[in-house]
Amino acid sequence: MNRLSIELPGLSLKNPIMPASGCFGFGKEYARLYDLSKLGAIMIKATTLETRLGNPTPRVAETSSGMLNAIGLQNPGLEKVLAEELKWLEQYDVPIIANVAGTLTEDYVEVAKHISKSKNVHALELNISCPNVKCGGITFGTDPTVAAELTAAVKEVSEVPVYVKLSPNVTDIGEIARAVEAGGADGITMINTLIGMRLDTRTGKPVIANGTGGLSGPAVKPVALRMVYEVAKQVSIPIIGMGGVATVDDVIDFMSAGASAVAVGTANFVDPFVCPNIINQLPEKLDWLGLNHVSELVGRSHR
Amino acid sequence: MNRLSIELPGLSLKNPIMPASGCFGFGKEYARLYDLSKLGAIMIKATTLETRLGNPTPRVAETSSGMLNAIGLQNPGLEKVLAEELKWLEQYDVPIIANVAGTLTEDYVEVAKHISKSKNVHALELNISCPNVKCGGITFGTDPTVAAELTAAVKEVSEVPVYVKLSPNVTDIGEIARAVEAGGADGITMINTLIGMRLDTRTGKPVIANGTGGLSGPAVKPVALRMVYEVAKQVSIPIIGMGGVATVDDVIDFMSAGASAVAVGTANFVDPFVCPNIINQLPEKLDWLGLNHVSELVGRSHR
Amino acid sequence: MIRQERMRIVKHKEIAHHIFEMTLAGQLVHDMYSPGQFVHIRVSDSYEPLLRRPISIASINHKDSEFTMIYRAEGRGTTMLSQKQIGEELDVLGPLGNGFPIEEAAPGETVVLIGGGIGVPPLYELSKRLVDKGVKPIHVLGFQSKEAVFYEDFFRELGETHIVTVDGSHGQQGFVTTLLAELQPEFTSYFTCGPTGMLAAIQNMYHDRKGFLSFEERMGCGLGACFACVCKTTDQTEVDYVKVCSDGPVFPAGVVSV
Amino acid sequence: MIRQERMRIVKHKEIAHHIFEMTLAGQLVHDMYSPGQFVHIRVSDSYEPLLRRPISIASINHKDSEFTMIYRAEGRGTTMLSQKQIGEELDVLGPLGNGFPIEEAAPGETVVLIGGGIGVPPLYELSKRLVDKGVKPIHVLGFQSKEAVFYEDFFRELGETHIVTVDGSHGQQGFVTTLLAELQPEFTSYFTCGPTGMLAAIQNMYHDRKGFLSFEERMGCGLGACFACVCKTTDQTEVDYVKVCSDGPVFPAGVVSV
Ligand SMILES: Cc1cc2nc3c(=O)[nH]c(=O)nc-3n(C[C@H](O)[C@H](O)[C@H](O)COP(=O)(O)OP(=O)(O)OC[C@H]3O[C@@H](n4cnc5c(N)ncnc54)[C@H](O)[C@@H]3O)c2cc1C
Ligand SMILES: Cc1cc2nc3c(=O)[nH]c(=O)nc-3n(C[C@H](O)[C@H](O)[C@H](O)COP(=O)(O)OP(=O)(O)OC[C@H]3O[C@@H](n4cnc5c(N)ncnc54)[C@H](O)[C@@H]3O)c2cc1C
Ligand SMILES: Cc1cc2nc3c(=O)[nH]c(=O)nc-3n(C[C@H](O)[C@H](O)[C@H](O)COP(=O)(O)O)c2cc1C
Ligand SMILES: Cc1cc2nc3c(=O)[nH]c(=O)nc-3n(C[C@H](O)[C@H](O)[C@H](O)COP(=O)(O)O)c2cc1C
Ligand code: FES
Ligand code: FES
C-alpha cells in the first residue's frame, strides 16, 4: 500500500506534495537536482496565450519571513509551452497541473482549450488571483459572479478537471469559493499571494519596480491556513492548500485544516530539495501521529 | 525647534511614536520601565461599556515573524477605565487616544460620549476591526456603509476628534477609508490584525482556544505598508500607520508611505523599550536622510 | 525593578535528556528577590522566533551576580537556546512575577515541595531559602522517566526527597499524587510547580490545606499589559481573573480555577 | 553539478572596512569550474532573513577542497554572515551560473580586468587562470575609498594593477572609466564585474570591443526557475531576455541592455 497516495479529480497523486506555480518554472531547473517523478504533481508557471515579458526589475524583495514578487506572469506563451516545456516534461512520470492566466475570459478559454489537450496535463489551475498584472488576474478573483462565470466558461472547453486558484485579498473567501464551486470548479487551490509592499528606507520609494508585489513564504502561513480551514467548511470540492509551507509539519497542518494536497512555493528558493525532503519525511510523521494513510489527515481540525 | 513634533486633529504630538492599542494595556506596566511622558501619545486598550473577560486561553500563539492573538477585548469596562485607568494616566504629560469598541452602534456611542469627556483623552479610535469577537468589531469594518454610519453616529456625540481603525481583512481598503472619511472621521488608524490560525501539529486542533486569531508583528508589515500607501492616495484625512513596526526604519517606511504618525504594537512584547528607543533614534535618522523635520517624511513615496 | 539586560552565559550544559542548565551573569540578578520569579528571554536577534520565552529562576547567586535556570529544549525557541555557547550574550527581561512567599512558612515547620518535570527548578531556590530559615522541606519530584531526572542529589542535600517517574524507570512508579497519597506526609503548607494537570490534582487533593501553586500560561508581554496569560479565578476570590505573569505565577491554593 | 552542502568555515576575517573574506571547505568545490560562478548562501536556519544571498567565488582551491569568497557586510543578511565563527557550518548551494569564458583569451594576448567594489573578487580567480594560461592581465580596480580597498597586492603579483578611489584617498581619484580613458590600454578583450552603472559605462565606452560583463540582479531561486533576475536584451540578440542566475551572470558585451 502506498500510504501517501491521494486521488483527486483528474489527478492520481503518488503523494500530496507538489511545487506551486511560478516557483518551479517548468521543472527543468529542479530536474538537475532530483528526479521530478518523485513529486505528487507539478504546477507549472502561469501560461498565457501570448509570450509575456513580465514586469521591470527588481521583481523580488525580501520581508520578515517572507518575500514579495512581481514577476508579472512572464512566460513563453501557449505555443512554446505546449511544444517545448510540456513535451520535455513528458519524460517524467508526474501529472502536470497547468496554471492558466489571461486578460480577458477569451484568453483563459483559449489557453484552457489547447493546454488541456496536452498528454501530461491532468488538470488546470485557473489563476484568477495574480496580483501583479494590471488587467485580468486578481480582478477575476475578487468578484464572486465574475469568478463563477469564468470558471463555467473554462469548464465548457477544458478536457481535464478545472481547479480555481483563489486570492486571499478578499473580505470573504468563502463566498468566492462557493461561487466557483457553483460555476463548476472541480477543485480549489489556495492561496495566491497577499498584496504587499516594501520601501527603500533611504529613498522612500518602492523596492519592487512594479510598486506592489505578492507576499509569500512562512509569514503568510497563518492567513493561508485560516482561509483553507474556512473554505473547507463551505465547499465539498477538494482543496490544494498552500501559503508558507516549508516543512513536513506545515503539510500536516494544511491537510488537517482541510486540504487534500499541498503545494510548496517560496520554500523551493530557500531549500531546493524541500519537496522530496518533505515526501521522505511524511511516512515517519504519519507513524508519529499513529495514522496509516495520509488521507486520514484531511480535515482533522474539523472533527 | 522640536524636529519630531506632529500636529494632528486633537493631538499635539511631541513625536510621532505611540504604542498601539492592546499592546500597552493602560500604560501602568510600561510606566515601571520608562517615563510615559516621552511618548507621542498612548493608544489604550479597547474600552467597552461593560466589563469584558475576553476569550478562553490560550489566547496567543507564535508564528513566523509574527503572533496571533485572540484576547477578545478583555477590559474593565467604561466606568473603571474612566475612574481608575485614565485618572492614573493624568500624571503623565501625554495625550491619550481611547480605543472604543462595542457590539451595537449604541455601545460605541455610549462609550464615546463619556470617554471623550475625559481630560486627557484627546482623540478616539473606533475599533471597527477587531477580528476576535463574535459580534461587533470587524463586522463594522468590512462594510463601507455600516462603517460610515457608525462613524457619523460617534462623531455626533464625541467631544474630541474621531479616528477610525481599519481592518485589513477586506477586498478594497480604500473604499472603507473613503466611506469613513465621508462619515466624518478626522483620521484613520491602520491596520488592525489579519485573521489567521495556527494548528497544533500533533492534534490538528487550533492552538488558540478561540480557533482563529489576529496576526500581527513584522510578518504583516508589507501588507500594512501597502494599505497605508493605498489609503493615503485616496483620503485627505491623516493616517496613523501600524502593523509590524519594530525599528526606526519601519517608522520611516510607514511615514514615507503616507502615515503622519506611527503606532508600535507587538514589538513592545519583544523589546519593552522599543518606543523610547525609536524616539531616541529618530533625529539621527533624519540627519542621515538630510531632513530637518519628521513631517517631511510624510508621503515621500508618493512624490 | 524590572530590567532588560544582555547577560553573559557563564555555564551551559545538558544535565538530563534534553534538559539544560544555564547560568547567566549580569546586574539584573540583584533585583531577583524571590524563588518562583521568572525571566523572559529572547532566544534570537531575529524575528523568528519572535516572542520571548518565560523561564523560571532555579537559583540565585547574588555574590557572583549570577543566576541559574533549567529548561527543556522542546520547541523551536528552547532548541535554539540550547545551542548557545558559553560567552555569548542573551537578552533577558526580568525578574518578573511574584515568586513563592517564603514568609508563609515559619521556622520549625515542615512543608512539602511538589514539582513536576520542568516545574522542579524553581523549587530548588525555594528549598534553599526555606532551609536557611529553619523550615524542613519534604521534596516530592515527578519526572517522565529516569533520563529526565535532574538535581536529585541537590534536593537530597536539602532534605527528604522522593522521586517518582511515570514509567517507573527511577524512584517509585506513578505520579506525585500517587506517592503523596501513600506517603501521607505531615505538613503545614505545600508549594508546587508543574504541569496544569498536576496542579489541579494537588489543589483538589489538598483542597482544605494551605498551599501555593505556580502556574504556566502562554505569554505575550510578560509584564501584565497584554491580557494573554489570564486565568479564571474561583468563587472564593474577589477578582474575576488573574494574570499569571504579573499577579503570579504563584497563587495561593484556591485562587485559580483549574 | 549543482549541490547543496553544509560547508565548514575554515577562514573568516575582515580584510577592509566591512569587507570580509571567508573560506569554506566541502565537496561542492570540486564542481566549481569557472571564475565568475557564484554560490547561493543561506545565512541563518531561521526564516528571517528568508532568502539566500548570491556571492561570487573569489578563488578556488581544489587541492584542499576549499574556496574563498569576499563580501561586504551591508544589509541584514551579510551582516549576519559576518558574525559567523570559524568552525561553523554554512548552507551553500552551488556552483551556480556560467562564469567568465577563459577560452576567449588566447595565450600571449593582453586583457583588461575591470572591477568595481564587491565586483572585484571574481576577477581574482579569473586573473590567476588567465596568467596560468599565458594571458597578460591589466587590472583596473575601483573602490569607494582607501578603507574599502582589498587584494591590491594579490592583483599586483599577477600583473599590472591600477587602483582608483572615488574620494582619491588611495590610488588615483575618480572612476575606473576615468582611468581607462587616460590609460588607453591596448587589449584584445575585457572582463568586468561591478555595479550596473559601471558596467553600462564600460559597455558604452568599449561598444566595439570584445568584452564580458558580470551582472547583478535581485534573485529568488538562483537556478533559473522563478524569473526574478531577468534582464532585457539589446536588439543585437535573438532572445528577448536573459536570466542573470542561469544564463549569466557573465554575458558577452552587447547582450544585456543597460
Ligand atoms: C512562569 C513560567 C515559568 C516557566 N519556567 C520554565 C522553566 O524553568 N523551565 C522550562 O523548561 N520551562 C519553563 N516554562 C515553560 C517554557 O516557557 C516553555 O517550555 C517554552 O516557552 C516553550 O518554548 P519553545 O520555543 O520550546 O516552544 P514553542 O512551541 O516554539 O513555543 C511557541 C510559543 O508558545 C509558548 N509556549 C509553549 N509552551 C509553553 C508553556 N508550557 N508555557 C508557556 N508558554 C509556552 C512559547 O513561549 C512560545 O511563545 C515556564 C513557563 C512559564 C509561564
Ligand atoms: C551573481 C552575483 C554575485 C555577487 N557577488 C558578490 C560578492 O562576491 N560579494 C559581495 O559582497 N556581494 C556580491 N553580490 C551582491 C550580494 O548578493 C548582495 O550584496 C547581498 O545579497 C545583499 O544582502 P544583504 O543581506 O546584505 O542585504 P539586504 O538589503 O538585507 O538584502 C535584501 C534582499 O535583496 C537582495 N540584494 C540586495 N542587494 C543585492 C545586490 N546587489 N545583488 C543582488 N541581490 C541583492 C538580497 O539578496 C536579499 O534578497 C553578488 C550578487 C550577485 C547577483
Ligand atoms: C516568484 C513567484 C512567482 C509566482 N508565480 C505564480 C504564477 O505564475 N501563477 C500562480 O498562480 N501563482 C504564482 N505564485 C504564487 C504561488 O504559486 C503561491 O500561491 C504563493 O507563493 C503562496 O505559496 P508559498 O508561500 O509557498 O510561496 C508565484 C509565487 C512566487 C513567489
Ligand atoms: C495582544 C494584542 C491585543 C490587541 N488588542 C487590540 C485592541 O484592544 N484594540 C485594537 O484596536 N487593536 C488591538 N490590537 C491590534 C494592534 O493595536 C495593532 O493594530 C496590530 O497588532 C498591528 O500592529 P503590530 O504588528 O505592531 O502589533 C491588539 C494586538 C495585539 C497583538
Ligand atoms: S503575558 Fe501579557 S499580561 Fe501576562
Ligand atoms: S533567480 Fe530565479 S530565475 Fe534567476
Side-chain angles (χ1 to χ4, degrees):
Chain A
M1 188 194 70
N2 177 353
R3 300 172 71 188
L4 302 184
S5 63
I6 290 278
E7 292 295 321
L8 292 179
L11 300 163
S12 281
L13 308 175
K14 287 188 206 80
N15 60 66
I17 308 303
M18 60 191 81
S21 178
C23 302
F24 208 72
F26 296 91
K28 272 203 183 98
E29 294 76 17
Y30 289 89
R32 296 168 65 187
L33 301 181
Y34 60 85
D35 178 5
L36 301 186
S37 304
K38 286 192 182 157
L39 297 168
I42 295 174
M43 291 166 143
I44 56 172
K45 176 73 191 162
T47 299
T48 54
L49 201 51
E50 67 303 339
T51 306
R52 290 228 191 157
L53 291 180
N55 291 320
T57 57
R59 292 175 171 189
V60 294
E62 198 179 44
T63 68
S64 293
S65 296
M67 67 177 278
L68 293 166
N69 89 79
I71 306 297
L73 300 184
Q74 175 157 23
N75 81 93
L78 177 63
E79 212 174 302
K80 276 212 179 128
V81 169
L82 286 174
E84 293 170 20
E85 309 295 351
L86 285 169
K87 194 93 213 141
W88 180 86
L89 275 165
E90 280 179 16
Q91 66 186 292
Y92 297 99
D93 172 28
V94 61
I96 306 299
I97 302 176
N99 188 277
V100 172
T103 307
L104 307 168
T105 304
E106 290 83 320
D107 305 336
Y108 281 93
V109 168
E110 190 66 13
V111 175
K113 192 154 89 186
H114 291 99
I115 213 165
S116 68
K117 295 203 178 90
S118 218
K119 204 169 115 192
N120 48 352
V121 170
H122 293 211
L124 303 187
E125 180 182 41
L126 287 194
N127 184 353
I128 60 165
S129 47
C130 180
N132 299 325
V133 285
K134 295 255 171 325
C135 322
I138 204 166
T139 46
F140 286 103
T142 51
D143 181 326
T145 317
V146 179
E149 282 169 11
L150 180 72
T151 309
V154 169
K155 266 302 280 183
E156 216 161 280
V157 301
S158 177
E159 312 215 340
V160 294
V162 174
Y163 292 69
V164 180
K165 184 158 185 181
L166 303 189
S167 165
N169 302 289
V170 295
T171 308
D172 183 356
I173 197 157
E175 187 188 12
I176 314 272
R178 292 193 312 270
V180 302
E181 181 178 38
D186 299 285
I188 283 170
T189 66
M190 61 188 292
I191 58 171
N192 210 315
T193 52
L194 280 160
I195 309 175
M197 193 169 198
R198 180 171 166 175
L199 298 179
D200 180 316
T201 305
R202 211 182 47 71
T203 65
K205 300 289 181 238
V207 168
I208 290 200
N210 188 48
T212 59
L215 182 66
S216 64
V220 309
K221 184 189 157 191
V223 174
L225 205 58
R226 182 265 296 184
M227 289 185 164
V228 168
Y229 183 87
E230 233 171 73
V231 168
K233 283 194 292 198
Q234 301 186 35
V235 300
S236 51
I237 49 177
I239 299 169
I240 302 179
M242 72 193 89
V245 173
T247 67
V248 66
D249 283 11
D250 296 333
V251 170
I252 309 276
D253 290 349
F254 272 87
M255 296 188 77
S256 300
S260 298
V262 175
V264 183
T266 304
N268 288 290
F269 308 158
V270 179
D271 173 4
F273 294 93
V274 62
C275 288
N277 285 346
I278 289 177
I279 294 165
N280 291 340
Q281 290 159 2
L282 262 173
E284 201 182 308
K285 271 286 159 173
L286 291 179
D287 292 345
W288 178 68
L289 293 169
L291 300 178
N292 267 319
H293 197 275
V294 76
S295 59
E296 295 164 34
L297 286 168
V298 182
R300 276 200 309 161
S301 307
H302 301 274
R303 290 194 286 265
Chain B
M1 187 193 71
N2 177 352
R3 298 173 71 189
L4 303 183
S5 63
I6 290 278
E7 292 295 323
L8 292 179
L11 300 164
S12 280
L13 307 175
K14 287 188 205 78
N15 61 66
I17 307 302
M18 59 191 83
S21 178
C23 301
F24 207 72
F26 297 92
K28 272 204 182 96
E29 294 77 17
Y30 289 89
R32 297 169 64 189
L33 302 181
Y34 60 85
D35 178 5
L36 301 185
S37 304
K38 285 193 183 157
L39 297 167
I42 295 175
M43 291 165 144
I44 56 171
K45 176 74 190 160
T47 299
T48 53
L49 201 50
E50 67 303 339
T51 306
R52 291 229 188 156
L53 290 180
N55 292 320
T57 57
R59 293 175 171 189
V60 294
E62 198 180 46
T63 69
S64 293
S65 297
M67 68 177 279
L68 293 165
N69 89 80
I71 306 297
L73 300 184
Q74 176 157 21
N75 80 95
L78 177 62
E79 213 174 301
K80 277 214 179 126
V81 169
L82 287 174
E84 293 170 22
E85 310 295 352
L86 285 169
K87 193 95 215 139
W88 179 86
L89 276 164
E90 281 179 16
Q91 65 186 293
Y92 297 99
D93 172 28
V94 60
I96 306 299
I97 302 175
N99 189 277
V100 172
T103 308
L104 306 169
T105 304
E106 290 81 330
D107 305 336
Y108 281 94
V109 168
E110 191 65 13
V111 176
K113 194 154 90 187
H114 291 99
I115 213 166
S116 68
K117 294 202 180 91
S118 218
K119 202 170 117 192
N120 48 351
V121 169
H122 293 211
L124 302 187
E125 180 182 41
L126 286 193
N127 184 353
I128 60 165
S129 48
C130 180
N132 299 324
V133 285
K134 294 255 171 328
C135 323
I138 204 166
T139 47
F140 286 103
T142 52
D143 181 327
T145 317
V146 179
E149 281 168 10
L150 180 71
T151 309
V154 169
K155 267 300 281 182
E156 217 161 277
V157 301
S158 176
E159 311 213 341
V160 295
V162 175
Y163 292 69
V164 180
K165 184 159 183 181
L166 303 189
S167 165
N169 303 288
V170 294
T171 308
D172 183 356
I173 198 158
E175 189 188 10
I176 314 273
R178 292 193 313 269
V180 301
E181 181 178 39
D186 299 285
I188 282 170
T189 66
M190 61 188 291
I191 59 172
N192 210 315
T193 52
L194 279 161
I195 308 175
M197 193 169 198
R198 180 171 166 174
L199 298 178
D200 179 315
T201 306
R202 211 182 47 70
T203 65
K205 300 288 181 239
V207 168
I208 290 200
N210 187 49
T212 58
L215 182 66
S216 63
V220 309
K221 184 189 157 191
V223 174
L225 205 57
R226 182 266 295 183
M227 289 184 163
V228 167
Y229 183 85
E230 234 171 71
V231 168
K233 282 195 291 199
Q234 300 185 35
V235 300
S236 51
I237 49 178
I239 299 169
I240 301 179
M242 73 193 89
V245 173
T247 66
V248 66
D249 282 12
D250 296 334
V251 170
I252 309 277
D253 289 350
F254 271 88
M255 296 187 78
S256 300
S260 299
V262 175
V264 183
T266 304
N268 288 290
F269 308 158
V270 180
D271 173 4
F273 293 93
V274 61
C275 289
N277 284 347
I278 288 177
I279 294 164
N280 290 341
Q281 290 158 3
L282 262 173
E284 201 181 309
K285 270 286 159 171
L286 291 179
D287 292 344
W288 178 67
L289 293 168
L291 301 178
N292 267 319
H293 196 275
V294 76
S295 60
E296 295 164 33
L297 286 167
V298 181
R300 275 201 308 161
S301 307
H302 301 275
R303 288 193 287 265
Chain C
M1 208 183 80
I2 297 169
R3 300 182 195 231
Q4 184 188 11
E5 187 178 352
R6 291 191 77 90
M7 298 185 79
R8 201 164 39 80
I9 303 173
V10 293
K11 269 187 225 146
H12 195 194
K13 64 165 188 270
E14 192 169 355
I15 56 172
H17 186 59
H18 285 182
I19 308 278
F20 291 78
E21 180 190 49
M22 182 186 273
T23 302
L24 291 157
Q27 290 315 305
L28 190 151
V29 171
H30 298 290
D31 292 306
M32 296 179 171
Y33 56 88
S34 177
Q37 288 188 294
F38 65 100
V39 291
H40 216 24
I41 289 198
R42 196 166 168 198
V43 299
S44 149
D45 289 334
S46 123
Y47 297 138
E48 202 270 315
L50 183 70
L51 296 176
R52 289 173 179 270
R53 300 299 194 256
I55 304 284
S56 301
I57 297 164
S59 70
I60 309 170
N61 175 348
H62 282 134
K63 185 171 64 61
D64 299 326
S65 304
E66 291 177 4
F67 83 98
T68 297
M69 56 190 203
I70 295 167
Y71 65 91
R72 179 160 62 217
E74 206 172 10
R76 185 154 171 72
T78 48
T79 302
M80 288 179 75
L81 190 60
S82 71
Q83 284 150 5
K84 301 271 169 195
Q85 305 295 321
I86 291 172
E88 280 187 72
E89 281 180 354
L90 209 58
D91 178 343
V92 180
L93 179 70
L96 303 177
N98 56 2
F100 286 105
I102 297 163
E103 63 281 9
E104 293 282 346
E109 287 182 357
T110 298
V111 300
V112 240
L113 273 48
I114 314 160
I118 49 158
V120 168
L123 301 183
Y124 181 58
E125 177 70 25
L126 174 64
S127 184
K128 285 199 293 183
R129 299 278 184 105
L130 290 170
V131 169
D132 278 355
K133 193 178 166 177
V135 179
K136 190 179 150 227
I138 302 177
H139 310 113
V140 179
L141 311 176
F143 298 93
Q144 212 51 42
S145 68
K146 187 176 175 24
E147 289 71 40
V149 177
F150 58 88
Y151 269 35
E152 181 178 352
D153 294 345
F154 289 5
F155 279 101
R156 285 206 193 283
E157 268 176 40
L158 294 169
E160 182 179 330
T161 299
H162 304 270
I163 307 281
V164 291
T165 53
V166 177
D167 67 358
S169 54
H170 189 67
Q172 196 169 321
Q173 195 269 325
F175 298 100
V176 289
T177 41
T178 343
L179 190 129
L180 286 166
E182 275 178 35
L183 201 64
Q184 302 233 355
E186 296 272 323
F187 65 90
T188 51
S189 56
Y190 70 88
F191 297 81
T192 181
C193 182
T196 310
M198 185 191 103
L199 301 186
I202 291 170
Q203 183 159 294
N204 271 336
M205 183 170 176
Y206 292 141
H207 59 94
D208 53 351
R209 306 297 299 268
K210 181 165 126 184
F212 301 90
L213 305 92
S214 179
F215 286 84
E216 275 187 15
E217 192 50 76
R218 306 229 161 195
M219 292 186 178
C221 65
L223 294 167
C226 77
F227 293 94
C229 67
V230 298
C231 288
K232 283 233 178 73
T233 48
T234 61
D235 302 341
Q236 297 158 248
T237 326
E238 273 170 46
V239 292
D240 295 324
Y241 64 91
V242 287
K243 295 178 197 156
V244 169
C245 69
S246 53
D247 300 324
V250 178
F251 297 97
V255 168
V256 173
S257 153
V258 282
Chain D
M1 209 183 80
I2 297 169
R3 299 181 194 232
Q4 183 189 12
E5 188 179 352
R6 290 191 77 90
M7 299 184 79
R8 201 164 39 80
I9 303 174
V10 293
K11 268 187 225 146
H12 196 193
K13 64 165 189 270
E14 192 169 354
I15 56 171
H17 186 59
H18 285 182
I19 308 280
F20 291 78
E21 180 189 51
M22 181 186 273
T23 301
L24 291 157
Q27 290 315 305
L28 190 152
V29 171
H30 298 289
D31 291 306
M32 296 178 170
Y33 55 88
S34 177
Q37 288 188 294
F38 64 99
V39 291
H40 216 25
I41 290 198
R42 197 167 166 197
V43 298
S44 149
D45 289 335
S46 123
Y47 296 139
E48 201 270 317
L50 184 70
L51 297 175
R52 289 173 180 271
R53 300 302 194 252
I55 304 283
S56 301
I57 297 164
S59 69
I60 309 170
N61 174 349
H62 283 133
K63 186 170 65 58
D64 299 326
S65 303
E66 291 177 4
F67 83 97
T68 298
M69 56 191 202
I70 295 167
Y71 65 92
R72 178 160 62 215
E74 204 172 9
R76 183 152 172 74
T78 48
T79 302
M80 287 180 75
L81 189 60
S82 72
Q83 285 149 4
K84 301 271 169 194
Q85 304 295 321
I86 290 172
E88 280 187 72
E89 280 180 355
L90 209 59
D91 178 343
V92 180
L93 179 70
L96 303 177
N98 57 1
F100 285 105
I102 297 163
E103 64 280 8
E104 293 281 348
E109 286 182 359
T110 297
V111 300
V112 241
L113 272 48
I114 314 160
I118 50 158
V120 169
L123 301 183
Y124 181 59
E125 178 69 24
L126 174 63
S127 184
K128 284 200 294 184
R129 299 278 184 105
L130 290 170
V131 168
D132 277 355
K133 193 179 167 178
V135 179
K136 191 181 150 223
I138 301 176
H139 311 112
V140 179
L141 311 175
F143 298 93
Q144 212 51 43
S145 67
K146 188 176 175 19
E147 289 71 40
V149 177
F150 59 88
Y151 269 36
E152 181 177 353
D153 294 344
F154 288 6
F155 278 101
R156 286 207 192 281
E157 267 176 41
L158 294 168
E160 182 179 332
T161 299
H162 304 269
I163 307 281
V164 291
T165 52
V166 177
D167 68 357
S169 53
H170 189 66
Q172 196 169 322
Q173 195 270 326
F175 299 100
V176 288
T177 39
T178 344
L179 189 129
L180 285 165
E182 273 180 36
L183 201 64
Q184 303 234 352
E186 296 272 322
F187 65 90
T188 53
S189 56
Y190 70 87
F191 297 82
T192 179
C193 183
T196 310
M198 184 190 103
L199 300 185
I202 291 169
Q203 183 160 295
N204 272 336
M205 182 170 176
Y206 292 141
H207 58 94
D208 52 351
R209 305 296 299 268
K210 182 165 125 181
F212 301 90
L213 304 92
S214 180
F215 286 84
E216 275 186 16
E217 191 52 75
R218 306 230 160 193
M219 291 187 177
C221 65
L223 295 167
C226 76
F227 293 94
C229 66
V230 299
C231 287
K232 283 236 178 71
T233 47
T234 61
D235 300 342
Q236 296 157 251
T237 326
E238 273 170 44
V239 292
D240 295 323
Y241 65 91
V242 288
K243 296 177 198 156
V244 168
C245 69
S246 53
D247 300 323
V250 178
F251 297 96
V255 168
V256 174
S257 153
V258 283

